[in-house]
Amino acid sequence: MPSTFGFINAKLLFCLLVISILYHSAFVTSKPTGFSLRAVIDDSPESPLYLIENLTIAERLERLIKISYARVNYLNLVSSGDAKLVPDNIRIPILRDALYYAVAFTIGSQGHPVKLLMDTGGGLIWTQCLPCTNCFPQKLPIYNPTASTSYATLPCSHPLCNGDRRLYNCEHGRYCVYNAQYGGGASTSGIASTEAFHFFVDQRSTHPFNVIFGCSYDSRDIAFMNTDISGIFGLSFSPDSMASQFSALIQHRFSYCLAPFDDATPRPLVLRFGEDIPQLPPQSVGSTQLIASPTSYFFYLGLKDISVAGHRIGFPPSIFQIKPNGLGGFFIDSGALFTHIDADALGGNAYAEVLKVFAAYYGSKNLKQTGASPEGFELCYEHPPNFDEFAALTFHFDESVYTVNGQYMHVIAPNFFCVGILKGSSVSVLGAWQQQNKRIIYDGGRGVLEFADENCMNDIA
């Protein structure tokens, strides 16, 4: 049964790059307190993909918009489709850059370094492998499974390769294979396998975890060629994702806190799993139920209404529901940079209604719209000196509300600012820009998303 995985290529995806170092002599005998992965973003000087310093503000914004649109357009296509574990929590240190969150670690008995784009909307974990039928060039050496004594192919009898709910196919009664088709014509195919992935379980020690992953021998039209990146790292509800494979270990819980993108000094962040997730004061935490979709593994939320600058719009209850064909709905995704509001929602154009309230608010402030806006943002204004009365936006759920500070609801430049919302086509998405300085906790065990305001610059390993 062919399958498609939520991913867009390196130039079209806001992701996490996990960095971990193997200590060959390290083996955890005591109960660790967590494990962590560090990451750098594509456009930081610390990143191998550093590109953004030569772009103007307008060019940067247009690039971000194109990335966000490409991500959500691809997710629309997707919608319309035994490890021995010793530690009981995991933490993944992350280094933040301006555009992507990228992640790296080591695999195999030889401690081979890999760097993967991390995707909360997809499940498949894969890296390029030798010998290649068609591999894209990468700066790090390509992983050779024959050099690792801990490598094994996934048997065709495995549930991921056998039965009505299988994700992969068995070929020749011997090999469990996958063929992942991505947006823009990109694809990767190979053999489903298992290998020891070495992650930090405390500040200095690593531990091997047996992970099901894809050993890709044929990858085409992948945009992150000629970089350190060799594949992706999935975190969705899909059975082959990191979060699902380790659900018993981490109670299907992981968390991150995205530091403000405009900070001039990127600092370490941490992707946290299980018990390493900080305990937050109950009075400061909001939560809402995660909603299952019949056609995808995204993290859908039961959005009921939206307020702008304290004005509740009063959308009909069904407008953000998932449609029978799998489209529609509202989900959270770190791969979409900006929030998208559906212009084709059940019952009306929610995007237009939200922008109408923003326009009325800034009209009451006598602000002047700009004649030329970055392509994709429809509502931009001249930025008067000392003006800081940016309108906040609140998402209303049955159980609580999620309020985006006005600063993070907009893209703010010295001479102009734009409402940081893009037009959604058959879907609404809570993007990464509107997750800044928020502790986000995905709790698949309880079926809940938790969130709280936090100074994410303090979230270091």
Side-chain angles (χ1 to χ4, degrees), residues 163-301:
D164 293 338
R165 298 180 65 84
R166 68 187 184 276
L167 296 179
Y168 316 138
N169 289 322
C170 182
E171 284 192 357
H172 310 300
R174 181 180 178 186
Y175 294 110
C176 183
V177 301
Y178 59 90
N179 181 9
Q181 303 293 324
Y182 304 132
S187 66
T188 190
S189 59
I191 297 176
S193 310
T194 64
E195 180 57 288
F197 282 35
H198 298 264
F199 300 130
F200 278 109
V201 291
D202 58 32
Q203 293 285 350
R204 293 179 294 179
S205 302
T206 64
H207 182 77
F209 295 82
N210 195 37
V211 175
I212 296 171
F213 79 110
C215 217
S216 284
Y217 298 102
D218 190 344
S219 300
R220 301 172 186 268
D221 297 324
I222 302 294
F224 48 75
M225 63 180 63
N226 296 311
T227 72
D228 287 350
I229 311 303
S230 62
I232 69 169
F233 194 94
L235 264 181
S236 74
F237 276 148
S238 179
D240 55 352
S241 76
M242 171 72 179
S244 294
Q245 290 189 52
F246 288 81
S247 59
L249 172 69
I250 62 173
Q251 301 89 44
H252 211 142
R253 298 176 72 237
F254 67 93
S255 174
Y256 56 76
C257 194
L258 301 182
F261 301 147
D262 60 354
D263 190 273
T265 309
R267 300 180 186 179
L269 304 179
V270 183
L271 178 65
R272 301 180 184 273
F273 288 80
E275 293 181 3
D276 195 57
I277 297 172
Q279 296 291 321
L280 304 177
Q283 65 273 15
S284 69
V285 180
S287 66
T288 187
Q289 292 294 312
L290 293 168
I291 298 174
S293 165
T295 59
S296 69
Y297 295 107
F298 305 146
F299 295 99
Y300 283 95
L301 310 174

Side-chain angles (χ1 to χ4, degrees), residues 307-381:
S307 294
V308 175
H311 172 78
R312 187 156 178 169
I313 296 175
F315 285 116
S318 63
I319 199 165
F320 296 110
Q321 290 180 354
I322 302 172
K323 300 175 184 178
N325 62 1
L327 297 177
F330 176 81
F331 62 86
I332 182 171
D333 179 35
S334 65
L337 289 175
F338 298 108
T339 289
H340 293 236
I341 301 296
D342 196 355
D344 303 308
L346 286 168
N349 186 338
Y351 170 76
E353 291 299 317
V354 170
L355 286 198
K356 186 186 300 182
V357 181
F358 273 105
Y361 172 80
Y362 290 117
S364 72
K365 302 294 182 182
N366 297 315
L367 297 189
K368 183 179 179 180
Q369 283 191 243
T370 56
S373 303
E375 183 179 354
F377 288 138
E378 294 190 18
L379 202 57
C380 297
Y381 293 88

Side-chain angles (χ1 to χ4, degrees), residues 43 50-57 59-60:
D43 286 325
Y50 183 56
L51 295 172
I52 209 166
E53 67 175 351
N54 296 322
L55 301 180
T56 66
I57 291 176
E59 288 171 334
R60 290 181 65 170

Side-chain angles (χ1 to χ4, degrees), residues 12 89 141 157 186 200 264 313:
L12 301 177
N89 46 56
S157 59
F200 278 109
I313 296 175

Side-chain angles (χ1 to χ4, degrees), residues 358 361-363 365-374 378-390 410-419:
F358 273 105
Y361 172 80
Y362 290 117
K365 302 294 182 182
N366 297 315
L367 297 189
K368 183 179 179 180
Q369 283 191 243
T370 56
S373 303
E378 294 190 18
L379 202 57
C380 297
Y381 293 88
E382 294 179 0
H383 189 182
N386 302 319
F387 180 83
D388 61 359
E389 299 177 54
F390 301 105
H410 300 75
V411 177
I412 304 170
N415 298 319
F416 70 93
F417 67 90
C418 300
V419 176

